Amino acid sequence: MTMIKNGLNKPKLLDQSHLINLITTALPHHTAYIQKHGEDAAHYLLDELEQSILRELRAMISGADRDDANLKLVADIHSRVEAMQQATVQAAAEAAPIN
């Protein structure tokens, strides 16, 4: 997300499909918007993503009970983040010059 926020566009380092899946999972109510605009929608959803993350962190810190649906959503988002990170690391390794 930092790459998008700062305008760094390295398609070989950031698999757009992973990004779209992650945002759609985190903000399912924006699925149609994301499908229509693709990765260009990501920049406009950063504030909402940030607020959603902060809300969940506050709930965790306060010890609020989380229902099974929230826990499954968090697990799904986490697995998608890991997949995106692995794909990015692999793409960076493939793009790095061999000495």
Side-chain angles (χ1 to χ4, degrees):
M1 295 307 290
T2 301
M3 292 172 70
I4 293 170
K5 185 176 181 179
N6 293 330
L8 183 60
N9 185 12
K10 297 286 186 186
K12 291 184 179 183
L13 294 179
L14 182 62
D15 185 345
Q16 302 299 329
S17 65
H18 287 291
L19 178 64
I20 297 301
N21 287 335
L22 177 62
I23 295 171
T24 303
T25 301
L27 301 173
H29 56 283
H30 285 300
T31 299
Y33 177 74
I34 295 165
Q35 288 175 345
K36 181 178 179 181
H37 298 286
E39 67 270 3
D40 293 336
H43 178 75
Y44 298 103
L45 298 173
L46 287 175
D47 288 338
E48 187 172 348
L49 282 168
E50 180 181 17
Q51 292 305 313
S52 180
I53 290 168
L54 291 173
R55 226 180 356 265
E56 286 302 314
L57 287 172
R58 283 187 205 108
M60 287 175 16
I61 290 170
S62 71
D65 289 335
R66 309 310 294 164
D67 62 11
D68 286 341
N70 278 351
L71 294 175
K72 288 177 184 175
L73 177 61
V74 169
D76 192 20
I77 291 170
H78 186 317
S79 67
R80 291 176 191 265
V81 167
E82 284 182 339
M84 191 168 93
Q85 287 174 334
Q86 289 173 355
T88 303
V89 168
Q90 183 177 353
E94 291 171 0
I98 299 173
N99 291 331

